[in-house]
Amino acid sequence: MHVDGIPYRTVWLAPDEPGLVRIIDQRKLPFAFEIEDLRTVDAVAVAIRDMHVRGAGCIGATAAYGMVLAAMEASAAADFDSAIHQHAARLVETRPTAVNLRWAVERQLAAMAACDWAGEKIAAAERSARAIADEDADACRRIGEHGLNLIRQLAAAKALGEPVNVLTHCNAGWLAFVDHGSATAPIYAAHLAGVPIHVWVDETRPRNQGARLTAWELGQEGVAHTVIADNTGGHLMQRGLVDLVITGTDRTTYTGDVANKIGTYLKALAARDNGVPFYVALPSSSFDWEIADGLREIPIEERGSEEVSHLSGQAPESDVEVEVRLVPPGTRTANYAFDVTPSRLVTGLITERGICDANGAGIRAMFPERF
Ligand code: MRU
């Protein structure tokens, strides 16, 4: 998508320097747009762990590029295979919930295992990383096409010019993928198609990915939006001000249970109580084909307490970002980064192949080769 009118992806390999991975440093947004250079596996692991990059697809693609650097580093080690598996483990352990990370690293290991020599393995990892990034962008683009049909149906029931109101949580935008985003792809497609659309953007405490990232990227594309405090969604739904909820997911079981940013479950409950359709948009790389029970089996990341006890933002009349304490000194905080929405609360899943029911039968019909 665009930054000041210039097309960008979230992560890419520098064309002119072997072994250089470039990312948009998302910690700095929306107050500064900075590109960060990553030259070692360690730097990639830190960038994922400390959320310079974040969002399921984006961390998957970043890890895939990280495995290219891993292959280069392993080629200097006495035992390539042992070194590459150590690097892979280091990357996978950085963030536990988003399954795209493990998926991308395993795909990179498989691509390299098919080659005999270190040079071939590095080349294979590079080809495969580019394919992972391209496929991620393409899957999101196709999610946009399928979701656009839903939005068109809702628009048809509205007075001419009245916008379809979509509520989204966190950032499942292009920043969370390589391009387009999952939850935002139908929104961007509708905007491009001239369908009037307005987005309610949950601020998404504690890290405020909605207020900082989703609002920024929607603004860059000229999509009408309003940031709301996290607890506002239910009130809006009771008043008929939300036509559709679309969220992303960090991991969805093959039975349709959805792990997503903390607070998603409450939006799904409110949507069900108010008859508002609740859709989850995801590329197939965000399915976990191995687990059936999301509540019991999806690992929920717990992050540092300072993300809850402190807030950061721009200081008044300055471009300096400052952090302020929110709670009394010494107060205990808890920081669960994700929750699980049971499949029964999900109206449907918008995938790159089309929209399916959020249950084993619906997912099996869409992806029969996985079962
Ligand atoms: O902790 P994050 O920012 O990496 O969390 C990911 C998210 O932004 C959301 O959970 C998103 O809706 C799913 S990722 C496409």
Side-chain angles (χ1 to χ4, degrees):
M1 302 301 285
H2 299 92
V3 181
D4 297 332
I6 300 167
Y8 275 92
R9 284 184 166 191
T10 51
V11 54
W12 63 97
L13 269 184
D16 46 357
E17 186 181 327
L20 173 57
V21 177
R22 293 210 147 116
I23 58 166
I24 296 173
D25 187 345
Q26 301 190 25
R27 295 169 305 167
K28 308 285 172 63
L29 291 169
F31 307 117
F33 178 75
E34 289 179 17
I35 306 297
E36 183 180 0
D37 290 348
L38 308 174
R39 288 190 168 82
T40 62
V41 184
D42 199 51
V44 171
V46 169
I48 297 173
R49 187 196 65 205
D50 294 348
M51 295 176 67
H52 309 197
V53 284
R54 28 68 49 205
C58 181
I59 61 180
T62 305
Y65 285 125
M67 287 297 287
V68 179
L69 308 189
M72 292 168 119
E73 289 178 31
S75 69
D79 180 345
F80 184 98
D81 281 346
S82 143
I84 199 75
H85 280 94
Q86 276 175 32
H87 289 311
R90 165 115 170 80
L91 289 171
V92 168
E93 74 189 13
T94 51
R95 304 252 356 236
T97 301
V99 75
N100 302 59
L101 179 55
R102 185 189 75 198
W103 168 84
V105 168
E106 286 178 356
R107 185 164 153 179
Q108 289 294 68
L109 287 173
M112 284 184 259
C115 307
D116 291 328
W117 306 105
E120 289 173 15
K121 288 177 189 284
I122 294 168
E126 190 175 319
R127 273 195 308 279
S128 174
R130 290 186 199 280
I132 286 170
D134 290 348
E135 286 169 25
D136 183 88
D138 191 55
C140 287
R141 185 187 57 74
R142 286 190 278 155
I143 286 168
E145 289 171 1
H146 298 300
L148 172 60
N149 295 332
L150 268 182
I151 293 174
R152 278 195 200 280
Q153 283 165 24
L154 292 165
K158 297 238 160 199
L160 195 65
E162 201 185 318
V164 174
N165 286 297
V166 180
L167 184 142
T168 193
H169 191 68
C170 198
N171 175 262
W174 73 270
L175 291 168
F177 288 88
V178 174
D179 206 351
H180 305 290
S182 57
T184 54
I187 292 167
Y188 290 134
H191 180 67
L192 268 178
V195 180
I197 192 153
H198 165 263
V199 186
W200 296 110
V201 179
D202 284 349
E203 62 175 344
T204 320
R205 277 283 285 150
R207 288 186 68 101
N208 294 314
Q209 290 97 325
R212 296 181 67 120
L213 304 178
T214 306
W216 178 79
E217 58 165 270
L218 291 174
Q220 289 285 335
E221 299 298 326
V223 178
H225 61 281
T226 306
V227 174
I228 50 177
D230 282 330
N231 296 324
T232 312
H235 169 76
L236 295 175
M237 291 184 210
Q238 286 174 323
R239 295 188 164 217
L241 295 172
V242 180
D243 298 305
L244 170 69
V245 180
I246 312 180
T247 74
T249 174
D250 299 86
R251 184 188 302 225
T252 288
T253 64
Y254 67 82
T255 56
D257 291 341
V258 170
N260 194 48
K261 185 53 58 186
I262 192 80
T264 303
Y265 170 52
L266 292 176
K267 298 300 173 290
L269 285 173
R272 173 56 55 94
D273 193 43
N274 290 282
V276 174
F278 182 96
Y279 282 88
V280 174
L282 74 164
S284 50
S285 52
S286 295
F287 279 109
D288 190 326
W289 304 104
E290 288 168 15
I291 61 177
D293 185 335
L295 271 174
R296 284 176 191 273
E297 296 177 273
I298 296 178
I300 299 296
E301 178 179 2
E302 292 180 47
R303 296 187 60 86
S305 63
E306 68 292 343
E307 291 183 357
V308 174
S309 61
H310 290 69
L311 267 179
S312 59
Q314 204 169 43
E317 291 165 34
S318 128
D319 56 4
V320 178
E321 188 167 346
V322 291
E323 189 177 74
V324 294
R325 172 183 284 283
L326 192 62
V327 303
T331 303
R332 189 159 29 153
T333 61
N335 188 6
Y336 298 94
F338 301 94
D339 62 24
V340 175
T341 298
S343 59
R344 66 189 152 77
L345 296 176
V346 180
T347 310
L349 301 172
I350 312 173
T351 76
E352 70 266 32
R353 291 195 187 169
I355 299 177
C356 66
D357 288 342
N359 56 43
I363 297 167
R364 179 193 288 256
M366 193 64 79
F367 297 96
E369 75 279 12
R370 300 288 188 165
F371 287 80

Coordinates of all heavy atoms in Angstrom, one line a residue, residues 279-326:
Y279 N -17.0 -11.3 11.0 CA -16.2 -12.1 10.1 C -14.7 -11.9 10.5 O -14.3 -10.9 11.0 CB -16.4 -11.6 8.7 CG -17.6 -12.0 8.0 CD1 -18.8 -11.3 8.1 CD2 -17.6 -13.2 7.3 CE1 -20.0 -11.8 7.5 CE2 -18.8 -13.7 6.7 CZ -20.0 -13.0 6.8 OH -21.1 -13.4 6.2
V280 N -14.0 -13.0 10.2 CA -12.5 -13.0 10.5 C -11.9 -13.3 9.1 O -12.2 -14.2 8.4 CB -12.2 -14.1 11.5 CG1 -10.7 -14.3 11.6 CG2 -12.8 -13.9 12.8
A281 N -10.9 -12.4 8.8 CA -10.2 -12.5 7.5 C -8.8 -13.1 7.7 O -8.1 -12.6 8.6 CB -10.1 -11.1 6.8
L282 N -8.5 -14.1 6.9 CA -7.2 -14.7 7.1 C -6.7 -15.4 5.9 O -7.4 -16.0 5.1 CB -7.2 -15.7 8.3 CG -7.9 -17.1 8.1 CD1 -7.5 -18.0 9.2 CD2 -9.4 -17.0 8.1
P283 N -5.4 -15.3 5.6 CA -4.8 -16.2 4.6 C -4.6 -17.6 5.2 O -4.6 -17.8 6.4 CB -3.4 -15.6 4.3 CG -3.1 -14.9 5.6 CD -4.4 -14.5 6.2
S284 N -4.5 -18.6 4.3 CA -4.5 -20.0 4.9 C -3.2 -20.2 5.7 O -3.2 -21.2 6.5 CB -4.5 -21.0 3.7 OG -3.6 -20.7 2.7
S285 N -2.2 -19.4 5.6 CA -1.0 -19.5 6.4 C -1.3 -19.2 7.9 O -0.5 -19.5 8.8 CB 0.1 -18.6 6.0 OG -0.4 -17.3 5.8
S286 N -2.5 -18.7 8.2 CA -2.9 -18.4 9.6 C -3.7 -19.5 10.2 O -4.1 -19.4 11.4 CB -3.6 -17.1 9.8 OG -2.8 -16.0 9.4
F287 N -4.0 -20.6 9.4 CA -4.7 -21.8 10.0 C -3.6 -22.6 10.7 O -2.5 -22.8 10.2 CB -5.4 -22.6 9.0 CG -6.7 -22.1 8.5 CD1 -6.8 -21.5 7.2 CD2 -7.8 -22.2 9.3 CE1 -8.1 -21.1 6.8 CE2 -9.0 -21.7 8.9 CZ -9.2 -21.1 7.7
D288 N -4.0 -23.2 11.9 CA -3.2 -24.2 12.5 C -4.0 -25.5 12.2 O -5.1 -25.8 12.7 CB -3.1 -24.0 14.0 CG -2.1 -25.0 14.6 OD1 -2.0 -26.1 14.2 OD2 -1.4 -24.6 15.6
W289 N -3.4 -26.3 11.3 CA -4.1 -27.5 10.8 C -3.9 -28.7 11.8 O -4.4 -29.8 11.6 CB -3.5 -28.0 9.5 CG -3.6 -26.9 8.4 CD1 -2.6 -26.1 8.0 CD2 -4.8 -26.4 7.8 NE1 -3.1 -25.1 7.1 CE2 -4.4 -25.3 6.9 CE3 -6.1 -26.8 7.8 CZ2 -5.4 -24.6 6.2 CZ3 -7.1 -26.1 7.0 CH2 -6.7 -25.0 6.2
E290 N -3.2 -28.4 12.9 CA -2.9 -29.5 13.9 C -3.8 -29.5 15.1 O -3.9 -30.5 15.8 CB -1.5 -29.5 14.3 CG -0.5 -29.9 13.2 CD 0.9 -29.6 13.5 OE1 1.3 -29.3 14.6 OE2 1.7 -29.6 12.5
I291 N -4.4 -28.4 15.4 CA -5.2 -28.3 16.7 C -6.6 -28.0 16.5 O -7.0 -27.3 15.6 CB -4.5 -27.4 17.7 CG1 -4.5 -25.9 17.2 CG2 -3.1 -27.8 18.1 CD1 -4.0 -25.0 18.2
A292 N -7.5 -28.6 17.4 CA -8.9 -28.5 17.2 C -9.5 -27.6 18.2 O -10.6 -27.0 18.0 CB -9.5 -29.9 17.3
D293 N -8.9 -27.5 19.4 CA -9.6 -26.7 20.5 C -8.7 -25.5 20.8 O -7.7 -25.5 21.5 CB -9.6 -27.6 21.7 CG -10.4 -27.0 22.9 OD1 -10.4 -25.7 22.9 OD2 -10.9 -27.7 23.7
G294 N -9.2 -24.3 20.3 CA -8.4 -23.1 20.4 C -8.2 -22.7 21.8 O -7.2 -22.2 22.2
L295 N -9.3 -22.8 22.7 CA -9.2 -22.4 24.0 C -8.1 -23.1 24.8 O -7.4 -22.6 25.6 CB -10.6 -22.5 24.7 CG -11.5 -21.3 24.6 CD1 -12.8 -21.6 25.2 CD2 -10.9 -20.1 25.3
R296 N -8.1 -24.4 24.6 CA -7.1 -25.2 25.4 C -5.7 -25.2 24.7 O -4.8 -25.4 25.5 CB -7.6 -26.7 25.4 CG -8.7 -27.0 26.3 CD -9.1 -28.4 26.1 NE -10.4 -28.7 26.8 CZ -10.4 -29.1 28.1 NH1 -9.3 -29.2 28.8 NH2 -11.6 -29.3 28.7
E297 N -5.7 -25.1 23.4 CA -4.4 -25.5 22.8 C -3.6 -24.3 22.2 O -2.4 -24.5 21.9 CB -4.7 -26.5 21.7 CG -5.2 -27.8 22.2 CD -5.5 -28.8 21.1 OE1 -6.6 -28.8 20.5 OE2 -4.6 -29.6 20.8
I298 N -4.2 -23.2 22.0 CA -3.5 -22.0 21.4 C -2.7 -21.3 22.5 O -3.3 -20.9 23.5 CB -4.4 -21.0 20.6 CG1 -5.1 -21.7 19.4 CG2 -3.6 -19.8 20.1 CD1 -6.0 -20.8 18.7
P299 N -1.4 -21.3 22.4 CA -0.6 -20.6 23.4 C -0.9 -19.1 23.3 O -0.8 -18.5 22.3 CB 0.9 -20.9 23.0 CG 0.8 -21.3 21.6 CD -0.5 -21.8 21.3
I300 N -1.2 -18.5 24.5 CA -1.5 -17.1 24.6 C -0.2 -16.3 25.1 O 0.2 -16.6 26.3 CB -2.7 -16.8 25.5 CG1 -3.9 -17.5 24.9 CG2 -2.9 -15.3 25.6 CD1 -4.4 -17.0 23.5
E301 N 0.3 -15.4 24.3 CA 1.5 -14.7 24.7 C 1.2 -13.8 25.9 O 0.2 -13.1 25.8 CB 2.0 -13.9 23.5 CG 3.2 -13.0 23.8 CD 3.6 -12.3 22.5 OE1 3.0 -12.4 21.4 OE2 4.7 -11.5 22.6
E302 N 2.1 -13.7 26.9 CA 1.9 -12.7 27.9 C 3.2 -11.8 27.8 O 4.3 -12.3 27.7 CB 1.9 -13.4 29.3 CG 0.6 -14.1 29.5 CD 0.6 -14.8 30.9 OE1 0.9 -14.1 31.9 OE2 0.3 -16.0 30.9
R303 N 2.9 -10.5 27.7 CA 4.0 -9.6 27.5 C 4.3 -8.8 28.7 O 3.6 -8.9 29.7 CB 3.6 -8.7 26.3 CG 3.5 -9.4 25.0 CD 3.3 -8.5 23.8 NE 4.4 -7.6 23.6 CZ 5.6 -7.9 22.9 NH1 5.7 -9.1 22.4 NH2 6.5 -7.0 22.8
G304 N 5.3 -7.9 28.6 CA 5.8 -7.1 29.8 C 4.7 -6.2 30.4 O 3.8 -5.7 29.7
S305 N 4.8 -6.0 31.7 CA 3.8 -5.3 32.5 C 3.8 -3.8 32.1 O 2.8 -3.1 32.2 CB 4.1 -5.4 34.0 OG 5.3 -4.9 34.3
E306 N 5.0 -3.3 31.6 CA 5.0 -1.9 31.3 C 4.1 -1.5 30.1 O 3.8 -0.3 30.0 CB 6.5 -1.4 31.0 CG 7.1 -1.9 29.8 CD 7.4 -3.4 29.8 OE1 7.4 -4.1 30.9 OE2 7.6 -4.0 28.7
E307 N 3.7 -2.4 29.3 CA 2.8 -2.1 28.2 C 1.4 -1.7 28.7 O 0.7 -1.0 28.1 CB 2.7 -3.3 27.2 CG 3.9 -3.6 26.4 CD 3.8 -4.7 25.4 OE1 2.7 -5.3 25.4 OE2 4.8 -5.0 24.7
V308 N 1.1 -2.2 29.9 CA -0.2 -1.9 30.6 C 0.0 -0.7 31.5 O -0.9 0.2 31.5 CB -0.7 -3.1 31.3 CG1 -2.0 -2.7 32.1 CG2 -1.0 -4.2 30.4
S309 N 1.1 -0.7 32.2 CA 1.2 0.4 33.2 C 1.6 1.7 32.6 O 1.5 2.8 33.3 CB 2.3 0.0 34.3 OG 3.6 -0.2 33.6
H310 N 2.1 1.7 31.4 CA 2.5 3.0 30.8 C 1.9 3.2 29.4 O 1.4 2.2 28.8 CB 4.1 3.0 30.6 CG 4.8 3.1 31.8 ND1 4.9 2.1 32.8 CD2 5.6 4.1 32.4 CE1 5.6 2.5 33.8 NE2 6.0 3.7 33.6
L311 N 1.8 4.4 29.0 CA 1.3 4.8 27.6 C 2.4 5.6 27.0 O 3.0 6.4 27.6 CB 0.1 5.6 27.8 CG -1.3 5.0 27.8 CD1 -2.3 6.2 28.0 CD2 -1.6 4.3 26.6
S312 N 2.4 5.5 25.6 CA 3.3 6.4 25.0 C 2.6 7.1 23.9 O 1.7 6.6 23.3 CB 4.6 5.7 24.5 OG 4.2 4.7 23.6
G313 N 3.1 8.3 23.5 CA 2.5 9.2 22.5 C 3.3 10.4 22.3 O 4.4 10.6 22.9
Q314 N 2.8 11.3 21.4 CA 3.6 12.5 21.1 C 3.4 13.5 22.2 O 2.3 13.8 22.6 CB 3.1 13.0 19.8 CG 4.2 13.8 19.1 CD 3.7 14.1 17.6 OE1 2.6 14.4 17.4 NE2 4.7 14.0 16.7
A315 N 4.5 14.1 22.6 CA 4.4 15.2 23.6 C 3.7 16.4 22.9 O 3.9 16.6 21.7 CB 5.8 15.6 24.1
P316 N 3.0 17.2 23.7 CA 2.3 18.4 23.2 C 3.3 19.3 22.5 O 4.4 19.6 23.0 CB 1.7 19.1 24.4 CG 1.8 18.1 25.5 CD 2.8 17.1 25.2
E317 N 2.9 19.9 21.3 CA 3.7 20.8 20.5 C 5.1 20.4 20.3 O 6.1 21.2 20.5 CB 3.7 22.2 21.2 CG 2.3 22.8 21.1 CD 2.1 24.0 22.1 OE1 3.1 24.7 22.3 OE2 1.0 24.1 22.6
S318 N 5.3 19.1 20.0 CA 6.7 18.6 19.8 C 6.5 17.4 18.9 O 5.5 16.8 18.8 CB 7.3 18.3 21.2 OG 7.8 17.0 21.2
D319 N 7.6 16.9 18.3 CA 7.6 15.7 17.6 C 8.3 14.6 18.4 O 8.6 13.5 17.8 CB 8.1 15.8 16.2 CG 9.6 16.3 16.2 OD1 10.1 16.5 17.3 OD2 10.1 16.6 15.1
V320 N 8.5 14.8 19.6 CA 9.1 13.8 20.5 C 8.1 12.9 21.1 O 7.1 13.3 21.5 CB 9.9 14.5 21.6 CG1 10.6 13.5 22.5 CG2 10.9 15.5 21.0
E321 N 8.4 11.6 21.0 CA 7.5 10.6 21.6 C 7.9 10.4 23.0 O 9.1 10.2 23.3 CB 7.5 9.3 20.8 CG 6.4 8.4 21.3 CD 6.1 7.2 20.4 OE1 6.6 7.2 19.3 OE2 5.5 6.2 20.9
V322 N 6.9 10.4 24.0 CA 7.2 10.3 25.4 C 6.4 9.2 26.0 O 5.3 8.8 25.4 CB 7.0 11.6 26.2 CG1 8.0 12.7 25.8 CG2 5.5 12.1 26.0
E323 N 6.9 8.6 27.0 CA 6.1 7.5 27.7 C 5.7 8.1 29.1 O 6.5 8.7 29.8 CB 7.0 6.3 27.9 CG 6.3 5.1 28.4 CD 7.2 3.9 28.5 OE1 8.1 3.9 29.4 OE2 7.1 3.0 27.6
V324 N 4.5 7.8 29.5 CA 4.0 8.3 30.8 C 3.4 7.1 31.5 O 2.9 6.2 31.0 CB 2.9 9.4 30.7 CG1 3.5 10.7 30.1 CG2 1.7 8.9 29.9
R325 N 3.5 7.2 32.9 CA 3.0 6.1 33.7 C 1.5 6.4 33.9 O 1.0 7.5 34.0 CB 3.6 6.2 35.1 CG 3.0 5.3 36.2 CD 3.7 5.5 37.5 NE 5.0 4.8 37.5 CZ 5.1 3.5 37.7 NH1 4.1 2.8 37.8 NH2 6.3 3.0 37.7
L326 N 0.7 5.3 33.9 CA -0.7 5.3 34.0 C -1.3 4.9 35.3 O -2.4 5.3 35.7 CB -1.3 4.4 32.9 CG -2.7 4.5 32.4 CD1 -3.1 5.8 31.9 CD2 -3.0 3.4 31.4

